[in-house]
Every structure is written in C-alpha cells, then in structure tokens.
Amino acid sequence: MKWFVLLGLVALSECIVKIPLMRVKTMRKTLSEKNMLNNLLKEHAYRLYQISSPGSNAITHPLRNIKDMLYVGNITIGTPPQEFQVVFDTGSSELWVSSLFCSSPACSKHVRFRHLESSTFRPTKKTFKITYGSGSMKGFLAYDTVRIGDLVSTDQPFGLSLAEHGFEDAPFDGILGLSYPDISLTGGIPIFDNLKNQGAVSEPVFAFYLGKTKGSVVMFGGVDHRYYKGELNWVPLTQAGDWRVHMDRISMKRKVIACSGGCEALLDTGTSLIIGPRRLVKNIQKLIGATPQASEHYVSCFAVNILPSIIFTINGINYPVPAQAYILKDSRGHCYTAFKENTVRSTETWILGDVFLRLYFSVYDQGNDRIGLAKAS
C-alpha cells in the first residue's frame, strides 16, 4: 500500500473555538511599501550566521526517510524513558502518542505509552480531538518528561490517544508538532516552546535537512551550515502563528501557472507532497500530461527526463523543483506526480511538503518570525 501523509490540521471538536477571519495587509506588503523589508532582513541576518558553523549550539537529531513519504525520529516519554517513533511536524503544535486506553486497530499496531510505568506521569481530565489531512485522533491531555536525544522537556503537555482513525498503516507511533502555540488545539505548550522556556536551547530556532537516503536530521537551537549551500534566504511569516509565508508565483517555462497574483505557502514537514487548490492542481497535471487513475495522476517514467522544472518564487527568489523531484515512483514501478488537490476551500494556499523540502534546507526562526531557505547540500 502506498502511504502519503498530510498532517495539516483540518478541524477541532470537543472544545469548539471560533476564530473570525478578516483580510489584513501582510507584514511583507507593509514592509515593502515602506522600503523596510530588505533592511529588516539585513539587520537580522547576523544572528543565525553567528551560530551556523560546526561546533555551534545546534543539537542535531537523526531522522529516518520512509520511502520518500515521511520522516520519523525517536523520542522518549516518561521515567524510566519509553521510546516512540514520531513525525516531526511543522504543520501542527501537538505532541501525542498511542496509549493503552486506545482500542482502535491503529493503536494495536503501534507502540503504546504505559502510563503506570512512569513515575513522572501526570494525567488530566481534558479531552480533545484533532483531524488531520490523513486521519484523526481523539485523546486526553497529560504531562510527563519528554526527551529528544539529549534535549529534556520536563512536565511536558502531551496527548494520549483514546481512538485513532486513518493511521492503521502509518509507520509512526505519534506526531510531534513544531508550530506555534497559537494553533494548539489542547492549550498545552508545544515542546519547542517548553525547551526554549526551560533554557534547553540557546536560540529559538530549529531546522530540517531531509535527505533522499541517509543523513536526514532535525536540529534545535542553531544551524549547521554543512547541510546547505550558499546563503540562507530569509522570508518573513505572513503573521506569527504558523509557518506560512507569502509566495509570489508558480511558473513553468517562464509562464505563470498558479499563484498569479501572489498567494500563501505553508512549509510543512508533516506533508509528503505539494498540495494546492483543486482547479490549479488540475491545470498543472494537464500541463505535465498526467492521466488520472484512482487517487493519483500518472505519467510515463520516461517523462522525468524531458519535463521542465516547476518554479516556486518566494520573496523574489526562485526555487526550482525539477521533474526528478515532482515525479515519484510507486511500488509497481509506475510514475505519478507529487501534486495533490486540497479538498478544503479557502484562499489560494499551497502546502509545500517533503517533495519541496528535500531540495531546500529550511530554518524556522521563532525569535524573528521568519523562515530561512537554502539549497540543501
């Protein structure tokens, strides 16, 4: 079975939160109008550069590439520590794992937290439900000690699942969210914020190097420049709250094929593919010459050598994605495209998942509310 992951949050029930949406001028547009954007980026460029050399404060943690569909890493929870394999996800804020209270078939296939064996475990009565693009879970909030390698977060809020749906074949035991507290559905402090507050990381930054084979890592508290080429290009977030930036356009053969008037892009390590509005994705599939079959769009594998790159322009910088990256191969050896339609209707927003992030080293600077991108080494 081919597995792809879309962990962008879709809905919340149990505690219903209504957030009024209104169109506001983005930070980028405001700064550009005042000719302040370039000055702002230059003024703050030194901070990460100073700690981006070998021997820096960056603490690296290994990740494993599962068939180019997702990246997982090990964490431990409890005292003594119990080990879990989780997805490190920039598209959500919650940390949760399977529990002994869960009777869903998905839970029986995963490592489950044994709460009675942890001396530091502290439960609560708060329940919550999270719906992702690829599944959903219902659970309750608890507290315990969580370790990511040598990093230790004490009294860390995390979820224990009571039910899981859609994760039956998922090669992970839970999800570790790395987005802002603003989108937390439990009200708990996300683990990176807890590490920052407890002084475990020296800088409020983390970064991802997602390789094709071995060597993938997530790093906390700094940046190691050995993982990228050239300089980091800094992009301010459209608003502090999630890892979303303004994108100028998407083009192919010097023609704009999507995002013609500018749009938003969410950089999401928890999503395998590139997700966009239905009408625009259908147009891209047509331009590529892809044929729909079941839930995928297939092309001849020979097309990989002749199809042009698709270019994502962000903050004036072109980020080409060649056909070798956006054409994937299934278990039968057939080739399909990495573009998927977003079924949720909204303003034009694209989710740039692992297909994009394998090509570009990404830095998430919570201190300055910006993302850094550079060509991966």
Side-chain angles (χ1 to χ4, degrees):
M1 173 182 249
K2 177 155 62 4
W3 170 265
F4 86 91
V5 185
L6 170 57
L7 294 181
L9 298 178
V10 176
L12 161 69
S13 62
E14 206 72 33
C15 299
I16 299 175
V17 181
K18 292 185 178 179
I19 304 173
L21 301 178
M22 55 184 181
R23 198 171 189 84
V24 296
K25 192 179 290 186
T26 65
M27 179 195 295
R28 181 180 186 277
K29 188 169 183 181
T30 303
L31 292 173
S32 295
E33 288 175 357
K34 297 180 180 179
N35 297 317
M36 291 168 61
L37 183 61
N38 290 332
N39 291 338
L40 177 77
L41 296 176
K42 285 177 182 176
E43 285 170 11
H44 290 284
Y46 74 92
R47 288 193 69 216
L48 286 180
Y49 181 77
Q50 289 181 336
I51 61 171
S52 63
S53 58
S56 73
N57 296 326
I59 298 170
T60 60
H61 188 68
L63 300 176
R64 189 157 63 95
N65 181 351
I66 311 268
K67 299 179 179 179
D68 279 353
M69 285 292 105
L70 74 161
Y71 292 80
V72 297
N74 292 340
I75 65 167
T76 66
I77 304 175
T79 309
Q82 301 174 36
E83 190 170 70
F84 299 89
Q85 189 165 264
V86 298
V87 178
F88 287 75
D89 176 29
T90 58
S92 64
S93 296
E94 268 65 45
L95 165 62
W96 64 267
V97 294
S98 299
S99 82
L100 293 176
F101 299 105
C102 179
S103 58
S104 302
C107 295
S108 64
K109 296 182 179 181
H110 300 132
V111 177
R112 294 190 273 189
F113 183 68
R114 303 178 302 279
H115 59 286
L116 293 176
E117 295 180 19
S118 175
S119 62
T120 44
F121 175 72
R122 183 164 60 89
T124 75
K125 293 181 179 180
K126 184 168 187 178
T127 60
F128 64 94
K129 181 178 180 181
I130 307 175
T131 302
Y132 298 95
S134 296
S136 64
M137 66 82 69
K138 182 178 181 179
F140 70 94
L141 190 67
Y143 292 82
D144 211 329
T145 299
V146 178
R147 292 175 173 84
I148 306 172
D150 293 332
L151 293 172
V152 182
S153 176
T154 56
D155 210 31
Q156 173 62 46
F158 74 109
L160 284 170
S161 67
L162 297 169
E164 296 178 23
H165 302 285
F167 298 128
E168 289 77 10
D169 298 308
F172 54 80
D173 307 312
I175 294 165
L176 187 148
L178 286 169
S179 194
Y180 282 75
D182 307 53
I183 65 167
S184 170
L185 303 183
T186 63
I189 302 172
I191 188 164
F192 185 70
D193 292 81
N194 228 13
L195 290 170
K196 184 177 63 177
N197 296 343
Q198 294 175 10
V201 292
S202 56
E203 290 283 336
V205 297
F206 58 90
F208 280 86
Y209 171 79
L210 303 180
K212 278 287 286 182
T213 52
K214 295 181 180 179
S216 299
V217 297
V218 57
M219 57 191 75
F220 296 96
V223 179
D224 188 335
H225 78 254
R226 291 174 295 182
Y227 287 94
Y228 65 90
K229 301 172 184 176
E231 294 185 3
L232 287 165
N233 298 305
W234 294 107
V235 191
L237 302 181
T238 52
Q239 59 183 35
D242 61 10
W243 298 111
R244 192 183 306 254
V245 297
H246 176 84
M247 184 157 63
D248 305 332
R249 61 190 168 274
I250 301 172
S251 56
M252 186 171 73
K253 291 182 177 178
R254 297 186 180 181
K255 291 183 179 178
V256 176
I257 58 173
C259 189
S260 57
C263 59
E264 291 189 331
L266 181 71
L267 277 76
D268 187 358
T269 57
T271 292
S272 309
L273 309 175
I274 295 174
I275 317 292
R278 177 174 292 174
R279 177 181 60 84
L280 297 171
V281 168
K282 278 186 175 179
N283 183 51
I284 290 175
Q285 307 285 26
K286 187 177 177 182
L287 291 170
I288 293 171
T291 304
Q293 184 180 330
S295 62
E296 307 296 351
H297 281 72
Y298 284 87
V299 296
S300 164
C301 291
F302 295 109
V304 171
N305 301 315
I306 57 174
L307 283 169
S309 293
I310 294 177
I311 298 169
F312 297 79
T313 304
I314 302 171
N315 204 29
I317 305 290
N318 290 336
Y319 296 93
V321 176
Q324 290 85 347
Y326 68 75
I327 301 298
L328 305 172
K329 193 173 283 188
D330 66 18
S331 58
R332 300 172 299 164
H334 298 164
C335 291
Y336 64 100
T337 76
F339 291 92
K340 275 275 185 183
E341 299 172 12
N342 190 348
T343 54
V344 180
R345 293 191 178 188
S346 63
T347 56
E348 188 179 344
T349 300
W350 290 80
I351 301 174
L352 304 183
D354 298 340
V355 165
F356 179 88
L357 295 170
R358 264 193 289 277
L359 300 170
Y360 300 102
F361 179 81
S362 54
V363 183
Y364 303 81
D365 181 357
Q366 206 181 76
N368 290 308
D369 298 323
R370 62 180 182 170
I371 290 174
L373 292 170
K375 192 170 183 180
S377 295

